[in-house]
Amino acid sequence: MWRLIGGSTSLAQKLTEGAMLSSPEMELHVGDRVAVIGGGPAGSFFSYFLLRLAESLDVQLSVDIYEPRQLEQPGPGGCNHCGGIISESLVQLLAADGINLPPAVVQRAIDAYVLHTDVGNVRIETPLHEKRIAAVYRGGGPKRAPSRWQSFDKFLLDLACEKGARLQHRLVTDVRWEDGRPWLSMPSARPERYDLVVVGAGVNSRLLERFEALGMGFTRPHTTTTFVTEFALGREVIERNFGPAMHVFLLDMARLEFAALIPKDENVTLCLLGEDIDPELVESFINAPEVKCMFPADTGVPAQVCHCFPRINIGGAPQPFAERMMFIGDSGITRLYKDGIGAAYRTGKAAATAAVLGGVSTEDLRRHYWPACRAIRNDNAIGKVMFFVSGLIHRARFSRRALIAMTSTEQASGSPYRPMSSVLWDIFTGSAPYREVFVRTLNPKFIAKLTWNLALSILPLKREPS
Amino acid sequence: MSTDTVGKWYADGDYILRQGAEGSSMYVVQKGEVEVFREGTGGPVRLGLLFAGAIFGEMALFEHRPRSASVRALGGAQVLTVDKRTLLRRIKEDPLVATHLMEILCGRIRDLDSRISELEARTGARARTPTQPEKTI
C-alpha cells in the first residue's frame, strides 16, 4: 500500500516502503520538474533511464533537456569533440538494456586493434572474432558529411525524447539557489524553478563555473588538452590501409600517453591523449614514420578536414553532487583517458536510480549516487599506475620489443590463454575496469612470461617480431 | 557482410547456437532474421522467428544447463554476443540491467501461456482444476 505525500505518491516509497529514507520533501514526487543541462550521452542516458524507471512505477515526471546545439548538424555546430568509440562492454550492455545501435549511427564496426611501434606491429583480435566496438560520430560529422551519417548523440537524445523528455533548444547561462530550489536562467526567457537539476554539460562548459560559485560543495574537475582531427581518405583507402581495426601507436614521445587512428565510413579520426597536447606534438606525431606509413604513399598524409583541442576530465569533481543537483559524465567523473561514453552511461544511470529510489538531498546523493562515482574514481587511481607503467614500457626500446614479441607469439599460438593480449586489449578498449586488468598483471605466469621476453629483448639475440 | 553493424555475420543456415550444447552467452539480433527450433525424434519443430532487436540464449545467463533449442540464421543475420561476465559484472553495480532481461523472460512466459491455451483449445483439452494440496499431519 502506497503512502501519499501532499496528495502525490513518492517514487522512492513505492519501491522501498518501510526502508530508511530521507525526509519526504527530499524525494521526487509525481509531477516534479527535472532539468537536464546538456543533450550529450550523459544527459540522454540519465533522462532515458529516469523516465523508464518512473514509467515502470506508473509515475509521471516532467523532464526538460537543455541543448542549444543541433546535434545532427555537420561541422563544429553539432560536434562534441570526441574520438567517438563505443567500447566493447558498452555495446553489449546497451544491447542488454534494449538499446541497439542502428547501422546509420555506426560509422564502422571494429573487431581488432593494431598496435604500432618502431620495432614492429601486432594485431590483436577480439576474443570471439566479432565486431563488438563501434566507431561513431558524436555529432553530424565534419563539414559536408553525407546525410546518411547519423549522430550518436542525436540517436540517444531521440530515445530520451521518445520516453517523454522535452528538448529545449536553449542555452542555460546561469543558476541560482532560492527558496530551497535551483533556478535556471536562459537569455530572453524567465528563470525556471526545478526540483532537480542534473548537469551533463561536459568540461568545456562555462556554466560549471556558475555552479561552483553557488558554494554548495561542487568544484570543477581537473582537465587536460587533447587533440582530435579528421582525414578524408575515402572508403577504398580506409578498407585497404585500416580495415575494421583501430590503430594504436606506442611511440617514444614526451607528454603523449595514447594515440589512435579510428577508421570510420569515409574518414579517419586521429585522437591524441596526454599532457597538454600542443600543435608541435601533433606535428611530430603525424610525421613519425610509423604513422605516415598508414597513409597512401602517393598522396601522403592529407590535409585535415577539421581539428580541435578539446579539454577532457582527468581528475573528477571531488563532490559531483549537491542538494537537488547532480553532475554526470565529464562534468562530474569519468574514466581516465578511456570509455568516456561508458562512464556517461554509468553515472547517468546511477544518477537516475539515485534520484528515483534514494532522494535528492546532499546526504541521499552521497549514499546513493556517490558510490558509483567513487568506484570510477578508485579505479582511475589504479589506471594512473597502469598508464605510468605503460609509459615506462613504451619509452624503452627493449621493452617495446618484448611487448610486441610476447603479444605476437600469443596471437600466433591460437591458445585461449593470451595474458598480454588481453591486458593490452582491455587497456586500449577500456572494456574492463583498470583494477581487474591490474590484478591480471600480478599473475605469476604473466610476470614470468614478461620477464622472459624482457630478458630475450635485452640479450643480443636476433629475435624479430612477427 | 556488414561493416557498419556490430556483431558477427552468420550466413543462411549457419548455427548460432545448438540444442544441448554448453553456453554462457546471450545473443541480440542486429540485422536479418534467425529461426529458433527444437530438434526431436520427429524432426525439427520451429518455435519462432526473431528479428532485429530480439534477444535469445538469455537462459544461459541464469542457469548452468545445456541450450534448450537451436538457433540458425535465415537468409543471413548479424548477431551480437553478450558475455555473461560483462553482464554479471555490471549487474553487481547496477541491478537495473537485469530488469530488462526479466521483462523479456516474463514476456516469454506470457507467450508460452497463450500458446498452451491455444493448443488446449485446439485439441479440446479441458482446463484442469488445481489439485487440492495433500493433507499433512
Side-chain angles (χ1 to χ4, degrees), chain A residues 52 89 91-93 95-98 100 103 106 108-109 128 130-132 134 345-346 349 353 431 433 436, chain B residues 2-8 26 28 30 53 55 79-83 85-87 89-90 93-94 96-97 100:
Chain A
R52 196 161 109 172
S89 55
V91 164
Q92 294 176 68
L93 291 172
D97 258 327
N100 290 292
V106 180
R108 191 165 290 262
L128 294 171
E130 184 172 320
K131 292 173 177 169
R132 294 206 289 189
Y345 166 82
R346 284 172 70 182
K349 204 170 176 187
T353 312
S431 283
E436 198 177 301
Chain B
S2 179
T3 59
D4 54 6
T5 310
V6 290
K8 186 174 176 178
M26 180 181 91
V28 187
Q30 299 293 310
I55 285 176
V79 178
L80 176 73
T81 311
V82 178
D83 302 328
R85 190 183 176 83
T86 303
L87 211 57
R89 186 196 286 144
R90 183 70 200 142
E93 187 186 306
D94 168 23
L96 283 187
V97 173
H100 182 65

Side-chain angles (χ1 to χ4, degrees), chain A residues 18-140:
Chain A
M20 292 289 286
L21 289 170
S22 69
S23 57
E25 64 269 23
M26 297 311 288
E27 295 165 8
L28 287 183
H29 300 89
V30 175
D32 274 358
R33 300 188 71 205
V34 179
V36 181
I37 303 174
S44 295
F45 280 133
F46 168 80
S47 309
Y48 176 79
F49 287 113
L50 181 86
L51 289 163
R52 196 161 109 172
L53 197 49
E55 186 185 67
S56 71
L57 296 166
D58 203 20
V59 172
Q60 216 171 3
L61 292 173
S62 167
V63 178
D64 290 328
I65 302 177
Y66 286 92
E67 177 53 71
R69 292 168 301 171
Q70 300 283 350
L71 295 171
E72 67 277 26
Q73 184 189 332
C79 187
N80 234 330
H81 316 291
C82 173
I85 281 289
I86 317 294
S87 72
E88 195 187 12
S89 55
L90 184 58
V91 164
Q92 294 176 68
L93 291 172
L94 290 178
D97 258 327
I99 302 173
N100 290 292
L101 303 176
V105 166
V106 180
Q107 288 280 318
R108 191 165 290 262
I110 286 174
D111 65 0
Y113 267 54
V114 181
L115 176 60
H116 298 260
T117 71
D118 58 335
V119 292
N121 310 330
V122 62
R123 186 184 179 88
I124 308 171
E125 305 280 350
T126 49
L128 294 171
H129 300 280
E130 184 172 320
K131 292 173 177 169
R132 294 206 289 189
I133 295 171
V136 300
Y137 277 123
R138 299 280 305 279

Side-chain angles (χ1 to χ4, degrees), chain A residues 116-118 249-253 256 259 261 270 272 280-295 301:
Chain A
H116 298 260
T117 71
D118 58 335
F249 297 83
L250 286 190
L251 304 179
D252 183 16
M253 287 185 183
L256 185 63
L261 283 167
L270 167 64
L272 302 183
E280 290 76 39
L281 181 55
V282 173
E283 197 63 22
S284 315
F285 177 80
I286 290 174
N287 287 320
E290 296 82 9
V291 180
K292 267 188 166 175
C293 73
M294 291 300 301
F295 295 89
V301 182

Side-chain angles (χ1 to χ4, degrees), chain A residues 2-282:
Chain A
W2 314 128
R3 281 184 290 166
L4 295 177
I5 299 168
S8 58
T9 311
S10 154
L11 289 176
Q13 282 170 344
K14 274 199 163 189
L15 273 194
T16 53
E17 183 77 15
M20 292 289 286
L21 289 170
S22 69
S23 57
E25 64 269 23
M26 297 311 288
E27 295 165 8
L28 287 183
H29 300 89
V30 175
D32 274 358
R33 300 188 71 205
V34 179
V36 181
I37 303 174
S44 295
F45 280 133
F46 168 80
S47 309
Y48 176 79
F49 287 113
L50 181 86
L51 289 163
R52 196 161 109 172
L53 197 49
E55 186 185 67
S56 71
L57 296 166
D58 203 20
V59 172
Q60 216 171 3
L61 292 173
S62 167
V63 178
D64 290 328
I65 302 177
Y66 286 92
E67 177 53 71
R69 292 168 301 171
Q70 300 283 350
L71 295 171
E72 67 277 26
Q73 184 189 332
C79 187
N80 234 330
H81 316 291
C82 173
I85 281 289
I86 317 294
S87 72
E88 195 187 12
S89 55
L90 184 58
V91 164
Q92 294 176 68
L93 291 172
L94 290 178
D97 258 327
I99 302 173
N100 290 292
L101 303 176
V105 166
V106 180
Q107 288 280 318
R108 191 165 290 262
I110 286 174
D111 65 0
Y113 267 54
V114 181
L115 176 60
H116 298 260
T117 71
D118 58 335
V119 292
N121 310 330
V122 62
R123 186 184 179 88
I124 308 171
E125 305 280 350
T126 49
L128 294 171
H129 300 280
E130 184 172 320
K131 292 173 177 169
R132 294 206 289 189
I133 295 171
V136 300
Y137 277 123
R138 299 280 305 279
K143 276 182 187 171
R144 292 183 288 281
S147 58
R148 65 175 185 278
W149 294 356
Q150 273 182 27
S151 152
F152 173 72
D153 288 15
K154 180 70 168 56
F155 162 69
L156 291 181
L157 190 56
D158 286 346
L159 280 183
C161 291
E162 279 163 25
K163 275 273 168 242
R166 278 187 309 271
L167 177 60
Q168 308 283 356
H169 273 301
R170 288 192 286 176
L171 179 71
V172 178
T173 50
D174 204 2
V175 57
R176 71 169 198 273
W177 184 261
E178 202 177 297
D179 302 330
R181 292 286 190 284
W183 291 69
L184 300 181
S185 300
M186 287 74 61
S188 318
R190 62 185 174 82
E192 297 279 350
R193 176 187 191 264
Y194 285 97
D195 298 291
L196 174 67
V197 169
V198 175
V199 185
V203 286
N204 297 301
S205 168
R206 287 185 180 168
L207 188 63
L208 293 186
E209 291 172 30
R210 305 300 308 144
F211 277 94
E212 198 175 78
L214 286 175
M216 294 177 71
F218 171 73
T219 48
R220 282 170 291 165
H222 294 295
T223 60
T224 189
T225 306
T226 60
F227 177 73
V228 182
T229 188
E230 290 282 326
F231 299 107
L233 291 169
R235 267 188 200 170
E236 202 181 310
V237 171
I238 293 174
E239 282 294 336
R240 193 176 59 237
N241 292 22
F242 296 85
M246 189 155 150
H247 295 259
V248 176
F249 297 83
L250 286 190
L251 304 179
D252 183 16
M253 287 185 183
R255 294 185 287 122
L256 185 63
E257 290 288 354
F258 180 82
L261 283 167
I262 306 160
K264 294 187 178 168
D265 186 21
E266 293 179 5
N267 289 4
V268 168
T269 304
L270 167 64
C271 204
L272 302 183
L273 304 177
E275 279 174 48
D276 293 318
I277 307 287
D278 54 27
E280 290 76 39
L281 181 55
V282 173

